[in-house]
Amino acid sequence: QEMTSIFVLSDSNLPPEYLEEELQVCGTDLPISIFSLEGGEQIKTLEQAELLYHKLDSSGAERKTLMICLGGGTITDLGGFVASTYKRGLELVLLPTTLLAMVDAAIGGKNGVNLPTPEGLIKNQIGTFHLPKYVGLNPIWLESLDAREIRSGWAEIAKHGIISNSSTLIEGIILLPEEFDVDYITPLITIAAEVKHYIVKRDPQEKGSRAKLNLGHT
Ligand code: GLY
């Protein structure tokens, strides 16, 4: 589909060159608006979604505006939700920057925000299925992550190894080097992302087998 403009939602904590790199890759003459938020579970609210609707509106976004989300799972979840509801759906590109988002959150079209209730926060209670047009994985970006964030990504890779019975993934986790090594991690990301894609393609709306992906989540 022909686009008329681009709206980028990015995480303000990212090194600025990520966004610059991304805009260079876009190599487009289309008008680009950029809005940055500090990622984290606290942004997954309807209030933040409303703020984004206003940003889209004031930037002149139309049905043919492409939304690009650059960041971790909270940015892609919030941005995906906004993209799927603004003007009944904008086309979406996700550029995940955390390991967890690369192998899980950004793949498969789930998005959403949390619902605060008197009993506590209900995670992802409000959301849609809205498949991105493109998901770009750039493992070099993982170099800026802290060890805890990398570990939570490994947990998802282990999960994909278990549910797909992939010896490559399981061995990959067992033999994991202590230091972050992009050459070691890249093929594992590819396989883990393919496992997720394979499962989601067969059951996009979680009517059955996709529920396997909730192992360790629920
Ligand atoms: N993270 C679980 C799913 O996408 O279905």
Side-chain angles (χ1 to χ4, degrees):
Q1 189 185 330
E2 208 182 308
M3 296 295 152
T4 52
S5 65
I6 297 176
F7 184 91
V8 181
L9 172 66
S10 82
D11 189 325
S12 55
N13 275 332
L14 290 173
E17 60 271 19
Y18 290 8
L19 189 56
E20 285 156 24
E21 217 178 280
E22 182 210 321
L23 296 178
Q24 264 176 16
V25 173
C26 278
T28 168
D29 297 334
L30 295 177
I32 299 181
S33 310
I34 300 166
F35 182 65
S36 297
L37 269 180
E38 192 174 345
E41 203 60 32
Q42 75 286 347
I43 64 166
K44 287 181 54 173
T45 64
L46 283 173
E47 288 76 18
Q48 290 291 337
E50 189 175 354
L51 175 85
L52 282 174
Y53 297 139
H54 286 295
K55 295 284 173 198
L56 280 159
D57 179 58
S58 60
S59 73
E62 308 170 315
R63 282 292 288 281
K64 290 185 175 173
T65 294
L66 171 71
M67 180 144 170
I68 301 179
C69 300
L70 175 74
T74 57
I75 291 279
T76 60
D77 275 9
L78 172 70
F81 176 67
V82 167
S84 81
T85 45
Y86 191 74
K87 289 190 183 281
R88 300 197 177 85
L90 304 180
E91 284 208 344
L92 178 66
V93 164
L94 298 179
L95 302 173
T97 56
T98 63
L99 186 54
L100 192 151
M102 286 184 189
V103 298
D104 192 32
I107 301 172
K110 275 188 187 174
N111 59 51
V113 297
N114 302 324
L115 181 68
T117 73
E119 287 74 41
L121 203 63
I122 310 183
K123 284 192 72 171
N124 301 322
Q125 187 73 342
I126 302 161
T128 66
F129 290 97
H130 185 64
L131 278 176
K133 258 275 176 273
Y134 176 81
V135 181
L137 305 181
N138 182 359
I140 306 275
W141 284 343
L142 300 174
E143 277 171 350
S144 64
L145 288 187
D146 66 30
R148 189 172 191 279
E149 272 186 300
I150 291 280
R151 275 202 304 277
S152 55
W154 282 122
E156 292 303 321
I157 293 179
K159 180 194 83 181
H160 288 174
I162 294 165
I163 61 184
S164 66
N165 202 14
S166 159
S167 54
T168 311
L169 289 184
I170 295 169
E171 274 170 33
I173 298 278
I174 293 170
L175 303 175
L176 199 61
E178 245 166 63
E179 290 297 309
F180 177 77
D181 176 348
V182 78
D183 294 326
Y184 185 88
I185 205 169
T186 300
L188 299 178
I189 292 174
T190 308
I191 299 169
E194 278 167 0
V195 168
K196 170 108 191 218
H197 183 60
Y198 179 90
I199 293 172
V200 166
K201 235 170 77 184
R202 275 150 193 81
D203 179 19
Q205 307 248 329
E206 200 177 303
K207 306 228 187 295
S209 56
R210 181 170 179 163
K212 282 195 255 187
L213 290 166
N214 297 332
L215 174 68
H217 289 203
T218 44

